[in-house]
């Protein structure tokens, strides 16, 4: 086996330096539920693993300026136990909590889910619908990047050598707002999404949708923001005829592949069905808050 | 470079040397001689390697041994009090919730983590919680019954 090193730096700056020095073969480590699998299967032969979990703030959730700041290596289980976060962003939390089993939830993070850049990653559509951003640290400083700009294709990200995600930020939550996420899988647990749909809605006091954002997973190389589908919902109360138009608009932007998990045609059809269901759930959640 | 790792395993301080690619599961089995945790898949799918780290259930096959530095680990070896079996262990035997036994340590560790955090789970909750523990022998039903029964006995013991 080639030489492999492990470092657990105590600051973000040291981590960026170590990653930059390690070059192509250096990898950040959060929960390891993707990295260790790839390492052990021999698909990945890193020279250096930089464990981010000793960096202050890498694990934990704090409320700031009405929004939430979530450390990159915070586990799905910890998100699910954080009552204010669950209340504000039920869709983001339910999407993340779908990842793997109880054991996987004990380690898996949203940052790892984003940076692993699988088209079927469950938390990513929900984060994109939520307009979440990543604070990216690198050898030359920090920048804030919308989540949808991190994955650029299956297994590829826009992060430069030495860069990593330090935290994920969820924006301040308006009144009467809620999100939701559903995926379609052949089983009830422990499977990879054939389609995933996230919807994030804000309502006026009269129950009319004033803002909508929809993101689709597993129907393109990266998450698709369905702008036309979202526009269908704005100005409505998500009535049946609106949902029928939403279904059509969501299907129109799908660009899925056919593989053993589902044909392109099947994935497209399911996207429309899920869009209707998820919009209905998000709407009901938001309405309860009026 | 080998890493010097110190951690707490089942309440005892331990130290060992780890190759950087070594998993916690390998360290437990090969460095510390705790062979109760099993490797079924090595990819996070089967749960045979389940341990509890700082109170959280995890797959030890998906954690580097070096990551254990300074942490508290509980394994199947810490479950019985000397020769007195944990109620879950007794109920697994009573309900014949094992055949070959390969999945059993992981199932017991996972079930204990459930009852520690939720002493009165519904059957659905037990089934979802244990979805990451695969068993090729029992068909799961006896396992679920054993966990429910152990939970009931432990609640009674608490009231008494
Ligand atoms: C049994 C099993 C079931 C699974 N089920 C699902 C599922 O249902 N849905 C799903 O979406 N995924 C699933 N996964 C995949 C995996 O658990 C998730 O993608 C998880 O969110 C990865 O997070 P992590 O913290 O473990 O990432 P890691 O393994 O630590 O990292 C993943 C990748 O991202 C990089 N990385 C990690 N952290 C950072 C950072 N902060 N900045 C930059 N790069 C970083 C790593 O170098 C690596 O390339 C499953 C995995 C297993 C083993
Ligand atoms: S050996 Fe770890 S999950 Fe199978
Ligand atoms: S008893 Fe044989 S795998 Fe479960």
């Amino acid at each position: 086996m080639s030489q492999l090193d492990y470092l657990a730096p105590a600051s973000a700056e040291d981590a960026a330096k170590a990653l930059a020095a390690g070059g192509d073969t250096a990898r950040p480590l959060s929960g390891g539920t993707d990295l260790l699998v790839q390492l052990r299967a021999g698909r990945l032969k890193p020279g250096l693993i930089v464990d981010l979990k000793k960096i202050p703030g890498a694990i934990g959730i704090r409320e700031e300026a009405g929004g939430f700041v979530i450390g990159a290596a915070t586990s799905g289980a910890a998100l699910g136990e954080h009552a204010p976060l669950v209340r504000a962003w039920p869709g983001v939390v339910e999407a993340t909590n779908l990842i793997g089993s109880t054991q996987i939830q004990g380690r898996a993070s949203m940052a790892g889910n984003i940076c692993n850049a699988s088209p079927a990653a469950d938390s990513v559509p929900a984060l994109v619908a939520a307009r979440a951003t990543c604070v990216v640290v690198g050898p030359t400083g920090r920048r804030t990047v919308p989540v949808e700009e991190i994955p650029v294709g299956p297994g590829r990200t826009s992060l430069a050598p030495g860069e990593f995600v330090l935290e994920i930020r969820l924006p301040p939550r308006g009144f009467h707002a809620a999100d939701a996420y559903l995926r379609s899988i052949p089983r009830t647990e422990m499977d990879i999404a054939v389609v995933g749909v996230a919807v994030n809605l804000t309502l006026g006091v009269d129950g009319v949708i004033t803002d909508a954002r929809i993101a689709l997973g597993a129907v393109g190389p990266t998450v698709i923001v369905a702008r036309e589908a979202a526009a269908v919902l704005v100005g409505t109360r998500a009535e049946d005829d609106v949902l029928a138009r939403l279904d059509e608009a969501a299907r129109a932007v799908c660009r899925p592949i056919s593989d053993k998990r589902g044909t392109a045609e099947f994935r497209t059809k399911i996207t429309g069905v899920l869009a209707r269901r998820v919009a209905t759930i998000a709407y009901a959640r938001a309405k309860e808050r009026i | 470079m080998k890493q010097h790792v110190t951690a707490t395993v089942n309440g005892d301080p331990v130290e060992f040397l780890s190759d950087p690619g070594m998993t916690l599961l390998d360290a437990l089995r090969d460095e510390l001689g705790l062979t109760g945790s099993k490797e079924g898949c090595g990819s996070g799918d089967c749960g045979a390697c389940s341990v509890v780290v700082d109170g959280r259930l995890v797959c030890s096959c998906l954690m580097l041994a070096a990551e254990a530095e300074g942490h508290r680990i509980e394994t199947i070896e810490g479950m019985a009090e000397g020769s007195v079996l944990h109620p879950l262990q007794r109920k697994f035997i009573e309900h014949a919730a094992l055949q070959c036994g390969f999945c059993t340590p992981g199932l017991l560790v996972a079930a204990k983590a459930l009852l520690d955090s939720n002493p009165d789970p519904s059957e659905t909750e037990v089934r979802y919680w244990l979805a990451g523990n695969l068993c090729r022998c029992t068909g799961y039903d006896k396992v679920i019954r054993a966990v429910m029964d152990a939970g009931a006995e432990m609640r009674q013991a608490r009231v008494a």
Side-chain angles (χ1 to χ4, degrees):
Chain A
M1 200 176 103
S2 63
Q3 195 58 32
L4 172 68
D5 272 324
Y6 168 90
L7 288 175
S11 79
E13 288 66 32
D14 287 350
K17 257 184 243 158
L19 284 167
D24 269 1
T25 65
R27 285 285 181 289
L29 170 69
S30 289
T33 61
D34 280 315
L35 193 63
L36 270 277
V37 174
Q38 291 157 11
L39 188 75
R40 300 193 49 158
R43 260 182 290 148
L44 190 72
K45 294 201 165 38
L48 173 68
I49 288 178
V50 178
D51 186 353
L52 306 175
K53 292 189 289 295
K54 295 268 188 318
I55 300 171
I59 296 178
I61 303 164
R62 62 178 202 274
E63 289 178 66
E64 199 178 285
F68 290 88
V69 181
I70 301 164
T74 308
S75 68
L79 298 187
E81 288 163 9
H82 195 279
L85 181 72
V86 175
R87 176 163 167 79
W89 297 100
V92 169
V93 176
E94 75 192 344
T96 309
N97 285 169
L98 281 173
I99 297 172
S101 57
T102 316
Q103 285 86 340
I104 300 298
Q105 280 293 310
R107 305 284 288 174
S109 68
M110 296 194 297
N113 203 218
I114 298 167
C115 297
N116 189 57
S118 158
D122 281 305
S123 73
V124 183
L127 286 165
V128 170
R131 297 187 179 85
T133 56
C134 292
V135 175
V136 172
V137 177
T140 55
R142 295 181 180 217
R143 59 193 181 104
T144 300
V145 188
V147 167
E148 59 268 36
E149 288 175 19
I150 304 260
V152 292
R156 290 186 300 120
T157 71
S158 59
L159 297 176
E163 281 191 327
F164 67 93
V165 175
L166 177 63
E167 54 197 29
I168 293 165
R169 290 174 175 257
L170 285 163
R173 206 53 163 142
F175 295 114
H176 330 141
D179 58 341
Y181 175 82
L182 284 179
R183 68 176 181 184
S184 167
I185 55 172
R187 302 189 281 178
T188 53
E189 270 285 270
M190 298 291 282
D191 214 329
I192 305 296
V194 175
V195 177
V197 176
V199 176
N200 178 23
L201 299 177
T202 305
L203 315 188
V205 279
D206 52 2
V208 171
I209 297 170
T210 55
D211 180 58
R213 194 164 152 89
I214 300 178
L216 314 175
V219 288
T222 57
V223 164
I224 295 173
V225 179
R227 292 205 168 73
E228 297 76 10
V232 166
L233 289 173
V234 174
T236 77
R237 292 187 175 84
E239 297 90 345
D240 286 347
D241 61 315
V242 174
L243 293 177
R245 280 188 284 130
L246 168 72
D247 183 324
E248 200 182 319
R251 278 186 280 122
V253 292
C254 292
R255 289 177 281 123
I257 54 165
S258 289
D259 65 10
K260 62 175 184 212
R261 330 200 66 255
T263 61
E265 192 189 358
F266 175 73
R267 288 189 145 118
T268 305
K269 181 153 168 58
I270 297 296
T271 304
V273 175
L274 285 188
R276 274 190 273 126
R277 288 189 194 164
V278 182
T280 306
I281 296 169
Y283 186 80
R285 284 179 182 164
K287 196 142 184 276
E288 263 178 28
R289 296 167 181 201
I290 295 180
Chain B
M1 211 179 65
K2 285 205 189 244
Q3 302 263 331
H4 181 241
V5 180
T6 55
T8 310
V9 176
N10 300 325
D12 297 327
V14 300
E15 47 184 305
F16 59 89
L17 286 178
S18 145
D19 284 322
M22 180 185 264
T23 63
L24 174 61
L25 176 62
D26 290 341
L28 289 171
R29 292 180 56 87
D30 301 340
E31 302 297 317
L32 300 173
L34 298 172
T35 54
S37 308
K38 306 294 182 213
E39 179 168 308
C41 65
S43 55
D45 293 294
C46 78
C49 64
S50 296
V51 301
V52 170
V53 178
D54 295 340
R56 277 222 196 280
L57 185 66
V58 308
C59 295
S60 60
C61 74
L62 293 188
M63 183 170 157
L64 292 172
E67 290 181 78
E69 173 64 38
H71 292 287
R72 209 163 23 85
I73 293 146
E74 289 153 67
T75 72
I76 185 65
E77 284 85 356
M79 203 156 162
E81 305 263 359
S83 61
V84 182
L85 294 182
H86 186 278
L88 275 164
Q89 293 173 308
R90 246 189 310 107
K91 290 297 176 191
F92 265 58
I93 297 171
E94 266 175 43
H95 287 265
L98 67 155
Q99 287 174 36
C100 80
F102 197 78
C103 67
T104 312
L107 268 166
L108 286 167
V109 168
K112 179 171 182 295
L114 170 63
L115 295 180
D116 285 349
S117 64
N118 177 3
D120 192 6
S122 67
E123 181 179 330
T124 304
E125 284 172 325
V126 176
R127 286 185 183 272
Y128 271 95
W129 182 275
L130 297 178
N133 290 85
L134 301 186
C135 171
R136 297 293 80 170
C137 301
T138 62
Y140 300 104
D141 214 59
K142 291 174 174 178
V143 171
I144 305 300
R145 270 185 265 159
V147 175
M148 298 292 289
D149 196 11
E153 186 188 291
M154 288 161 71
R155 290 194 299 279
Q156 282 247 301
R158 219 160 284 149
V159 185

